Amino acid sequence: MKGAQAIYETLQRAGIDTLFANPGTSEMALVRALDEAGTIRGVLGLFEGVVSGAADGYARMAGKPAATLLHLGPGLANASANLHNARRARSPVVNIVGEHARDHVALDAPLTTDIEAVARPFSCWVRTIGTTADAGRDAAAAIEAARSLGGPATLIVPADVAWSEGGAPADVPAGPGVRRPDEAMLALVAGMLREHGSRAMLLLGGSALGAQAVGAAARLAAATGARLASETFNVRAACGAGRPFIPKVPYFGEPAEAFLAGVDVLVTVEARPPVNFFGYPGRRGVPVHPSTQVLQAAAPGEDGAWLLESLCEHLGAPAVERPGMPTPQRPQGPIDAMALARAIAHRLPEGAVLCDEAITASLALPEVLAGAAPHDHLDLMGGAIGGALPLSTGAALGSPDRRVVCVSGDGSALYTIQALWTQARENLDVTTVICANRSYAILAYEHLQIEGKLPGPRAVPVLSIDRPPIGFADLARGFGVEAVTVDSAEALDDALAAAPARRGPFLIEAVMAPMELPPKA
Amino acid sequence: MKGAQAIYETLQRAGIDTLFANPGTSEMALVRALDEAGTIRGVLGLFEGVVSGAADGYARMAGKPAATLLHLGPGLANASANLHNARRARSPVVNIVGEHARDHVALDAPLTTDIEAVARPFSCWVRTIGTTADAGRDAAAAIEAARSLGGPATLIVPADVAWSEGGAPADVPAGPGVRRPDEAMLALVAGMLREHGSRAMLLLGGSALGAQAVGAAARLAAATGARLASETFNVRAACGAGRPFIPKVPYFGEPAEAFLAGVDVLVTVEARPPVNFFGYPGRRGVPVHPSTQVLQAAAPGEDGAWLLESLCEHLGAPAVERPGMPTPQRPQGPIDAMALARAIAHRLPEGAVLCDEAITASLALPEVLAGAAPHDHLDLMGGAIGGALPLSTGAALGSPDRRVVCVSGDGSALYTIQALWTQARENLDVTTVICANRSYAILAYEHLQIEGKLPGPRAVPVLSIDRPPIGFADLARGFGVEAVTVDSAEALDDALAAAPARRGPFLIEAVMAPMELPPKA
């Protein structure tokens, strides 16, 4: 068989059946092989950032890798910001990137670049297939790397490797499985929790935020007094009614320091010790107090869920009654961050997947959502703006029986707005809420933090997106997605109430009330 | 002064006053310095590919560098596809990329990447500023590199370098100037042209396609019988009535080989010897016949315009009457590639700047445009799709007294559609024509070339953009740009006739007649 077929056959053997694609000429044999291989489904994105962000969302929800198909170095570069986010999410993604035919590379044709160099900063594994005979084996290695290393593995496929005969599929070796912390660690953590009580904090990430795991965490908290927290941004957190409310480490350094004050021991479970998102003049970069002892109970990628269950056994932590959080009510008045959060919480369908990149507008979301119907909350993991719309697109394909709600800042949404078209094409049940505050609101605040004053007349034009106002409902319709614009909390609530009954994507442009900047921290 | 101010002051001393920007928190001191420095104008792009493509277009028209302001590694990655195009265009661009504060990098905060590694594949020069005292000097070195090497120079600015005091501006040393071929080369080329007559070809690129230079080339052709040609894609070519029609080397290998057949000597003037854009099974990658002698008379970046004038003197080539090309007439019927070309040629305003990324729809353009009003023709140089809308945005800012007409494929336009908003915000006189054939038409043809058959039912979904159809007029309105949709050549002609009288941007969605695929080459 051809090299391209060998690659797809290898993907199929590993259970990978979805290929987010934006191909070009150098990938034509890989496009052709979609017809030949038979079970790989190609999903087109109009822009490569949609492709990579969708692969991230798919992997988070389906629990298995998606593949991407990208065109040479520039196509891979366009995908890279959301590959960065996928890498920070530890989402397994198998990038298949076309390269010129091997004897064409040296000619330095216009599209020639050093694709391996483009791939490395955003991949956990990179390889160029040398010969068609290696195509299946190298594809298997890429899948194995994406799974075991947790992140994008980039397989570069010269066009002639793909179009030539001589390929053979390969099986992906069963990996060693997810590593579990050992008994000594269990005993150590149990002892710490017992000893430090409310001066211990369990910082959860990864699988430790799954529905079962957060239940175990709540039992540990009740039994020992330990505080629970999650990372500022989480891959997939089980939230809502019946689950414990686990506060996030605050985004900004000063409230993060306050949040972490009084913690004698910080036990990390699939979480990284907190660092501030950015450095600021005169502030240290780590909000954890120097006197706090940090104990890594489970590294990212290890089995933190198992650890929490085992700790419950070890400590004999009994089942707990979950305190009911207030049931969200219909909000009223202008749409500010709180009204937005309330409307979303009020109308969130049970089992929904919430993709959150609302930045300043989502500050109130987690706490208000604690009383909403049970759902999964997916954050932007790498901070590279433009993740949420693609993420929700892939999440919908990775969990087709669940409603997806995407909450995005207006500035954020515009990096990868093309995702709406893929939602329409695939008829995905995604409700997108655009928080239209018509500015990069976070940046005006950051300007105040760093420079001590608000932006002046020459700086405002690179921080505001109000002139002309962007018509998100028009943009949505242009991409084939129905849309409404609302400017009151009641109208937002009504629109959200109507959304789940629809089939296919829907967009709500929520025109936000002008935000008051917080005083300088 | 602060490091950020030192950088801007250095830009100003070098005559750089336009900063295409999409900043984030790590660039806040550089945003603040826009207010402090006073004369640098920030132009916001909603997506970084708009920023870098606009810088390319600005540089091509203004003849001096534009600067960009980008946010960390992911922002730079988003800009990279159009930086690739700028590099292939040899457009001087000074990228200013923010980095975390120096003591924050080691903390591996979520947005941390190896920015130098991200920059290198698409930059001709890369440096991270080490201390605030170096900020001005390093900015000067970046400007010098962008000018002398011809392409993007990437200056990475740690946030604390930018916000700290202790910077000083620097002057950019006057470079050695554009290198001119020597007398021996002049004599050699003159002898070749005399000896080989119509079996010699002058292949022109760069400044050798300027208005003066093409006149000289026409004199040389008339005096010696030599054929004239330009590269398949050109940075900026003077075209239209009163200028010679200089055919391009065809895009596909087979017609390119036919075009170059019978050429004994190929004299390149700021042009690279042709290579095929892609490799194909069973076809060599270079269309130049092995028996053709290639003589590089002026390397890219050398003074090819001067060479052509000097050759005229050397050969005593007299002035020539330019044969008038047919004046374009109003086209009729459905919009196919020929009708599109005729309407554009018919209505192109004198002195217009034409940005061309219409791919299959633009095959007929160059020849038909030969009879249009005099204009500059700007191509996509690196093949990274999504160049034309940003390019036209920057071209309009770089030549504010000229009307810009952008002709883009629908697939192409969707990579960087956000450019329309910057056109609206800056009230730029850009007319965008979207060639809406609702497919990646070039790719269906490439599939046929490489695989010998048309795409099948599982491949078509990753090659077609017809379901749902994209409403470009809606998208334009969403970004604040007036728009019409036309589906006849007459209506297209009318819309183009009305466009130049408008102020500000305008978009015409031209719904194309279904294209017949050419038979397999």
Side-chain angles (χ1 to χ4, degrees), chain B residues 203-230:
Chain B
L203 181 66
L204 310 179
S207 77
L209 291 170
Q212 285 274 112
V214 294
R219 290 161 63 196
L220 291 174
T224 65
R227 291 167 61 194
L228 300 180
S230 71

Side-chain angles (χ1 to χ4, degrees), chain B residues 171-198:
Chain B
D171 290 307
V172 181
V178 181
R179 194 181 159 276
R180 291 182 166 173
D182 60 20
E183 286 293 327
M185 178 58 77
L186 266 182
L188 178 63
V189 174
M192 287 283 194
L193 295 180
R194 261 201 223 99
E195 180 187 340
H196 292 279
S198 67

Side-chain angles (χ1 to χ4, degrees), chain A residues 2 22 32 35 38 40 84 88 104 108 110 276 414-415 418 421 425 451 453 456 458 461 467-468 471 478, chain B residues 2 22 32 35 38 40 84 88 104 108 110 276 414-415 418 421 425 451 453 456 458 461 467-468 471 478:
Chain A
K2 291 180 191 165
N22 188 273
R32 167 73 190 143
D35 281 317
I40 301 272
H84 169 82
R88 292 290 180 178
H104 206 73
D108 194 34
N276 292 344
L414 291 163
Y415 289 77
Q418 304 94 331
W421 182 81
R425 185 176 183 84
E451 295 291 329
K453 57 180 81 172
R458 300 182 69 86
R467 190 178 51 81
Chain B
K2 291 181 192 164
N22 188 274
R32 168 74 190 140
D35 281 317
I40 301 272
H84 170 82
R88 292 290 181 177
H104 207 72
D108 195 34
N276 292 344
L414 291 163
Y415 289 77
Q418 303 93 332
W421 182 80
R425 185 175 182 85
E451 294 291 329
K453 58 180 79 171
R458 298 181 71 85
R467 189 177 53 81

Side-chain angles (χ1 to χ4, degrees), chain A residues 40-55:
Chain A
I40 301 272
R41 175 190 188 192
V43 177
L44 180 61
L46 297 174
F47 170 69
E48 295 88 345
V50 175
V51 166
S52 52

Side-chain angles (χ1 to χ4, degrees), chain A residues 129-217:
Chain A
I129 305 179
T131 70
T132 301
D134 295 335
R137 193 202 61 185
D138 287 350
I143 297 164
E144 157 64 12
R147 281 184 190 158
S148 64
L149 302 174
T154 299
L155 182 67
I156 300 164
V157 188
D160 57 331
V161 163
W163 76 48
S164 298
E165 293 287 343
D171 289 309
V172 180
V178 180
R179 195 180 159 277
R180 291 183 166 172
D182 59 20
E183 288 291 330
M185 178 59 76
L186 267 181
L188 179 63
V189 174
M192 287 282 193
L193 295 180
R194 260 200 225 97
E195 179 186 343
H196 293 279
S198 67
R199 297 185 69 84
M201 178 181 280
L202 278 165
L203 181 66
L204 310 179
S207 76
L209 290 170
Q212 284 276 112
V214 294

Side-chain angles (χ1 to χ4, degrees), chain A residues 381-410:
Chain A
M381 291 306 293
I385 296 300
L389 273 65
L391 194 75
S392 61
T393 306
L397 281 157
S399 56
D401 52 342
R402 300 176 69 171
R403 187 86 202 178
V404 177
V405 177
C406 172
V407 190
S408 176
D410 48 0

